[in-house]
Amino acid sequence: MAFSTHFLTVSLLAFLACTTNAQLSPNFYGTTCPSLQSIVRSVMTRAVNNEPRMGASILRLFFHDCFVNGCDGSILLDDTATFTGEKNAFPNRNSIRGTEVIDMIKTRVEASCNATVSCADILALAARDGVFLLRGPSWSVALGRRDARTASQSAANSQIPAPFSPLSTLISMFAAKGLSARDMTTLSGGHTIGQARCTNFRTHIYNDTNIDPNFARIRRANCPATGGDNNLAPLDIQTPNLFGNNYYQNLIARRGLLHSDQELFNRGSQDALVRSYALNNGLFAREFAAAMVRMGNISPLTGTNGEIRRNCRRTN
């Protein structure tokens, strides 16, 4: 079931956004770029209406940015002859999407508020709006991040959780970013939207036992044992373009697409939380919004650190 209360007001999140990191504030651009949020929403609305999957792609882009040296826009940097960024790290190569949407937003923001708004903040707002436009919750985004002047392919390779990870690894990798096991299970619910490549779930549908046989058979039809690495399947077989708690219901039915998904419901420490979210969409929506606020506050660059990039793909 998709989240039915489309316009979720989360006043507590505004408080959290202001206090979690004292240098970030939802009103950071209130006087310097008052049109920022309307510009982001307008471009995201057009992008999601054109391709609903884009909401999931931008959410994933934000997640992969925050998990590598913090929410600093580093994932947006292109490689150059003298610079190796994160886009071609194993978790991102041939899979990250949506950078052109961020470019479009940045172009419009620069025309309205020159050299004022960071790419990192644009990405944080776009991720929120992508979820909202697919009928998920909204939340107050703390702003004031600055952009990194560098990136780390090695950190992207080692710090972004893999779709093959066991539960213990998932918990420890989120803990390394200051996020709890509950946050990990909650944020994994972002897989209620979007699609995954065959190469990321092949092992699960052919080798794992904690999977519904009929579901595995359906997925094998489009993901052969060899070849077809880029063939896509929905992460949520029921409503891949609507944000809701079907993801958790699928886990209970042993229909998680990724090994790492099904690990959340595999006779382990997260089973009870998965059951709670499967039964209570409102609880999931509220806790997902709160967890996104916490994730968005992972090691931001603020003050005089970093820069405000004029072009999200390269440093100034």
Side-chain angles (χ1 to χ4, degrees), residues 101-167:
V101 176
I102 302 302
D103 291 340
M104 190 180 306
I105 297 171
K106 180 64 171 175
T107 297
R108 288 191 54 183
V109 169
E110 284 293 304
S112 181
C113 322
N114 181 258
T116 300
V117 181
S118 69
C119 300
D121 277 343
I122 287 173
L123 181 54
L125 287 168
R128 186 270 310 272
D129 287 356
V131 169
F132 177 75
L133 290 165
L134 295 178
R135 300 183 66 182
S138 187
W139 56 91
S140 179
V141 177
L143 301 167
R145 301 168 189 79
R146 288 169 65 84
D147 296 321
R149 294 190 176 97
T150 187
S152 175
Q153 187 174 107
S154 61
N157 280 325
S158 63
Q159 296 177 14
I160 296 174
F164 324 106
S165 298
L167 181 61

Side-chain angles (χ1 to χ4, degrees), residues 90 163-164 196-209 211 215-217 219-233 256-260:
F90 181 75
F164 324 106
R197 297 162 63 225
C198 169
T199 188
N200 289 324
F201 61 85
R202 177 184 285 117
T203 300
H204 181 50
I205 63 172
Y206 282 97
N207 298 338
D208 287 353
T209 58
I211 186 170
F215 176 71
R217 185 169 57 254
R219 293 280 66 93
R220 288 172 187 165
N222 193 45
C223 182
T226 57
D229 284 1
N230 292 321
N231 293 351
L232 298 173
L257 182 63
L258 306 179
H259 176 88
S260 56

Side-chain angles (χ1 to χ4, degrees), residues 9-315:
T9 301
V10 194
S11 58
L12 174 60
L13 297 184
F15 173 76
L16 288 173
C18 293
T19 59
T20 303
N21 188 304
Q23 297 186 68
L24 299 183
S25 166
N27 297 317
F28 187 85
Y29 301 107
T31 57
T32 58
C33 194
S35 60
L36 170 62
Q37 300 215 28
S38 63
I39 291 172
V40 176
R41 178 62 59 84
S42 174
V43 176
M44 284 299 297
T45 298
R46 188 178 307 115
V48 172
N49 284 346
N50 182 60
E51 182 191 7
R53 183 189 173 199
M54 190 55 68
S57 297
I58 297 292
L59 176 62
R60 182 171 183 264
L61 194 64
F62 183 52
F63 174 81
H64 282 213
D65 182 44
C66 290
F67 260 62
V68 182
N69 300 326
C71 307
D72 59 3
S74 58
I75 196 171
L76 302 171
L77 290 169
D78 284 343
D79 290 355
T80 69
T82 58
F83 174 82
T84 301
E86 298 165 17
K87 287 183 176 178
N88 285 307
F90 181 75
N92 299 327
R93 188 184 311 132
N94 300 320
S95 67
I96 59 166
R97 304 174 73 251
T99 55
E100 72 283 357
V101 176
I102 302 302
D103 291 340
M104 190 180 306
I105 297 171
K106 180 64 171 175
T107 297
R108 288 191 54 183
V109 169
E110 284 293 304
S112 181
C113 322
N114 181 258
T116 300
V117 181
S118 69
C119 300
D121 277 343
I122 287 173
L123 181 54
L125 287 168
R128 186 270 310 272
D129 287 356
V131 169
F132 177 75
L133 290 165
L134 295 178
R135 300 183 66 182
S138 187
W139 56 91
S140 179
V141 177
L143 301 167
R145 301 168 189 79
R146 288 169 65 84
D147 296 321
R149 294 190 176 97
T150 187
S152 175
Q153 187 174 107
S154 61
N157 280 325
S158 63
Q159 296 177 14
I160 296 174
F164 324 106
S165 298
L167 181 61
S168 59
T169 298
L170 294 171
I171 290 173
S172 64
M173 294 185 80
F174 275 73
K177 303 301 176 183
L179 298 170
S180 68
R182 189 180 188 95
D183 289 329
M184 180 271 297
T185 298
T186 306
L187 290 169
S188 295
H191 286 177
T192 186
I193 51 177
Q195 301 185 59
R197 297 162 63 225
C198 169
T199 188
N200 289 324
F201 61 85
R202 177 184 285 117
T203 300
H204 181 50
I205 63 172
Y206 282 97
N207 298 338
D208 287 353
T209 58
N210 189 27
I211 186 170
D212 174 69
N214 291 329
F215 176 71
R217 185 169 57 254
I218 291 170
R219 293 280 66 93
R220 288 172 187 165
N222 193 45
C223 182
T226 57
D229 284 1
N230 292 321
N231 293 351
L232 298 173
L235 286 157
D236 176 348
I237 194 172
Q238 295 159 287
T239 54
N241 293 325
L242 290 176
F243 195 97
N245 65 339
N246 280 338
Y247 167 78
Y248 299 100
Q249 296 171 8
N250 289 335
L251 296 185
I252 292 173
R254 297 189 300 158
R255 294 189 299 182
L257 182 63
L258 306 179
H259 176 88
S260 56
D261 287 332
Q262 198 57 60
E263 280 289 280
L264 304 184
F265 192 82
N266 192 20
R267 300 179 181 177
S269 63
Q270 301 306 296
D271 283 18
L273 182 57
V274 169
R275 290 187 187 277
S276 293
Y277 287 159
L279 291 170
N280 191 332
N281 189 49
L283 174 66
F284 163 56
R286 290 190 299 273
E287 296 203 355
F288 182 85
M292 285 296 294
V293 171
R294 288 190 287 275
M295 189 182 79
N297 279 286
I298 297 175
S299 304
L301 296 172
T302 58
T304 58
N305 296 315
E307 64 182 13
I308 303 298
R309 278 187 234 139
R310 305 292 183 90
N311 183 325
C312 292
R313 294 177 178 267
R314 59 177 182 265
T315 57

